Amino acid sequence: MVAYKIICITLAVVVAFSICLPTVQGQSLVERALKLFGIAYVVRTFGNDINRFVNQLASQNGVEWEGTTKVVPIISVGSGAYIGAAQVVGPTDKVDDVRGVGQAETQISNARARLLFPMDTTNPLKNMRRIEGVGVSAILDFKI
């Protein structure tokens, strides 16, 4: 129970920090970096607790996952830049290899496309390898 209180307080602080910062155009590089690393730190530190919370919410709505779930950082680019948490689901041996999720977004006329790819790194700029057989079941992200 204490862990859930710590998670709730930490997430509330991160959300408040995200809301209180000015818009992206007015943010300094330092403010964006603090937001980026702060959210990533919370996800890495409390990923297991966030995962339990997401699974609990899902089970209350009658959703059961086959396989293992895990929460990892997600980086999204396209119509803005976002960072947050993503829950991945799949076979245990494959989920264990996932370190982060990348998301690329694009819009063509009236159609919008999002490509989600579980990867073996938290830095998509370095030798990223997509983990096959793993899906993304939940996303919580904040605009940088």
Side-chain angles (χ1 to χ4, degrees), residues 29-44:
L29 183 59
V30 172
E31 289 171 324
R32 282 187 273 175
L34 283 172
K35 186 189 278 189
L36 177 76
F37 291 112
I39 293 171
Y41 173 78
V42 168
V43 173
R44 280 194 300 270

Side-chain angles (χ1 to χ4, degrees), residues 8 13 22-23 25 27 35 41-42 52 58-60 64 75 77 83-84 94 96 101 111 129-130 136-137:
C8 290
V13 168
T23 62
Q25 294 82 8
Q27 286 182 7
K35 186 189 278 189
Y41 173 78
V42 168
R52 279 192 292 277
S59 69
Q60 289 173 357
E64 295 291 327
I75 306 272
V77 293
I83 181 132
K94 296 191 183 241
D96 287 344
V101 171
R129 183 176 64 89
R130 181 173 175 259
V136 178
S137 54

Side-chain angles (χ1 to χ4, degrees), residues 7 11 36 38 53 60 64 70 95 105 120 144:
I7 292 171
L11 286 175
L36 177 76
F53 176 72
Q60 289 173 357
E64 295 291 327
K70 176 180 175 180
V95 169
E105 301 177 50
D120 65 349
I144 299 175

Side-chain angles (χ1 to χ4, degrees), residues 4 10-11 14 27-28 40 51 65 74-75 90-91 94-96 127 136 138:
Y4 286 111
T10 305
L11 286 175
V14 170
Q27 286 182 7
S28 72
N51 187 52
W65 308 125
I74 182 171
I75 306 272
K94 296 191 183 241
V95 169
D96 287 344
N127 298 333
V136 178

Side-chain angles (χ1 to χ4, degrees), residues 4 32 42-43 45 48 55 58 66 74 87 95 100 103 106 111 123 133 142-143:
Y4 286 111
R32 282 187 273 175
V42 168
V43 173
T45 303
N48 290 334
N55 286 339
E66 275 191 38
I74 182 171
Q87 184 186 56
V95 169
Q103 178 176 214
T106 189
N123 183 352
F142 301 92
K143 191 166 190 162

Side-chain angles (χ1 to χ4, degrees), residues 95-117:
V95 169
D96 287 344
D97 292 340
V98 178
R99 298 289 172 255
V101 171
Q103 178 176 214
E105 301 177 50
T106 189
Q107 185 156 351
I108 303 168
S109 188
N110 290 334
R112 181 174 66 174
R114 290 184 178 169
L115 173 64
L116 297 161
F117 46 95

